[in-house]
Amino acid sequence: MPLSGSSAAPRAGPRWRRPVLASPSALPLPRWVLGAAAVGAVFLVLPLAAVVVQVDWAEFIPLVTSESSLAALSLSLRTAAVSTLLCILLGVPLALVLARVKFPGKRLVRSLVLLPLVLPPVVGGIALLYTFGRQGLLGGALQVLGIQVAFSTAAVVLAQTFVALPFLVLTLEGALRTAGTRYEAVAATLGARPWTVLRRVTVPLVLPGLAGGAVLSFARCLGEFGATLAFAGSLQGVTRTLPLEIYLQREGDADAAVALSLVLVAVAVLVVGLSYGPVFGRPAARRSEPQGSANAGAAG
């Protein structure tokens, strides 16, 4: 006990300091992990390098600018753009329901929505054929109305949408679950209507995830082959997309097939780079809070 009048002050206890977390790049990893990662990277990159080596660069431009190649590339880009738009229109509501609504059989619904991810594309094409074909589940009614879906450009769009839709749903549902519901609850508490909350809070909050899912869906549409062949056939200028053109050229002109394959590889690399770039790939914790979350009630 200190004496009265003494100037000595009680010694302060040790100050608590927040532990400094090391960045992910500074965390040590076992050497076997690094070795396995290197083998995996080589396994993925080596076949692509082999394609580059096999390209006849002297004839590359004539090969990729032939009439059939340009027609296939143009059809692929146009149908992939329309299919991506359909994925957004159908996938955003699906992802919102799966991430925000509780209902019986939710796991079953999610499994069915994501089924095309693991389903062989040819099986998906056959399923679409028996749904929208002349003798299909809906094909007879469409035939009465004068609408022919199978073996048309519309069939290409449907086939691409069928295989690409799960990519957008899966990406956006993950973004919605990561974002949580705090901002939406605050906006609803302030009196914002559901549509206002969706437009002013939810969509801006998960916009990077939505954009990334749309880019991945576009890439999947460009590379679709099996479902398109089974459901839409291979009619030049109508249903023959770039993957189908590569498959046909492989039998008669291997140089053209390799050149067109390199075009698809280049587009895929560009798309993947965009989807995982600094805009779409930003961590959720570093994003700024969505504008209007506090004022959403006034906007409602």
Side-chain angles (χ1 to χ4, degrees):
M1 182 175 181
L3 299 176
S4 59
S6 174
S7 59
R11 181 178 300 177
R15 292 186 60 185
W16 178 83
R17 293 183 180 180
R18 179 178 298 177
V20 179
L21 299 178
S23 61
S25 59
L27 294 177
L29 290 174
R31 291 185 179 180
W32 68 266
V33 173
L34 300 178
V39 173
V42 171
F43 175 74
L44 294 175
V45 173
L46 192 59
L48 302 180
V51 172
V52 176
V53 171
Q54 292 297 323
V55 172
D56 185 0
W57 293 104
E59 298 293 329
F60 179 76
I61 298 300
L63 288 174
V64 299
T65 56
S66 63
E67 182 179 355
S68 60
S69 300
L70 290 178
L73 178 59
S74 174
L75 180 64
S76 292
L77 292 175
R78 288 185 284 111
T79 55
V82 177
S83 301
T84 303
L85 180 60
L86 281 178
C87 287
I88 294 174
L89 294 177
L90 301 176
V92 172
L94 271 173
L96 286 169
V97 170
L98 292 176
R100 293 289 188 262
V101 181
K102 294 182 179 180
F103 57 90
K106 183 176 179 179
R107 290 186 178 181
L108 177 61
V109 172
R110 180 184 287 109
S111 300
L112 294 176
V113 169
L114 302 182
L115 187 61
L117 287 175
V118 297
L119 197 67
V122 176
V123 176
I126 293 176
L128 290 172
L129 183 62
Y130 281 103
T131 302
F132 298 101
R134 292 183 178 180
Q135 306 298 327
L137 191 63
L138 302 177
L142 294 175
Q143 198 73 20
V144 172
L145 299 175
I147 301 175
Q148 167 121 14
V149 178
F151 305 103
S152 66
T153 305
V156 177
V157 173
L158 290 178
Q160 292 176 346
T161 305
F162 180 80
V163 299
L165 182 60
F167 284 85
L168 189 137
V169 174
L170 189 63
T171 303
L172 185 55
E173 184 188 0
L176 287 166
R177 292 183 180 277
T178 302
T181 60
R182 180 176 59 177
Y183 297 114
E184 296 163 313
V186 170
T189 302
L190 294 175
R193 297 177 180 177
W195 168 245
T196 304
V197 175
L198 178 64
R199 179 173 54 91
R200 297 292 301 276
V201 180
T202 307
V203 172
L205 193 62
V206 299
L207 189 58
L210 174 60
V215 171
L216 291 177
S217 297
F218 181 80
R220 182 64 185 88
C221 291
L222 278 180
E224 166 49 34
F225 173 78
T228 303
L229 183 61
F231 181 42
S234 179
L235 304 174
Q236 185 173 0
V238 180
T239 65
R240 187 176 299 173
T241 57
L242 195 55
L244 294 177
E245 180 69 17
I246 293 172
Y247 179 78
L248 293 176
Q249 291 287 359
R250 186 180 64 89
E251 300 294 334
D253 190 350
D255 291 337
V258 172
L260 293 176
S261 298
L262 183 60
V263 172
L264 266 185
V265 169
V267 173
V269 169
L270 178 62
V271 167
V272 173
L274 288 175
S275 62
Y276 287 95
V279 177
F280 301 153
R282 281 187 303 176
R286 295 185 180 180
R287 298 179 196 141
S288 58
E289 296 183 4
Q291 296 181 357
S293 60
N295 299 326

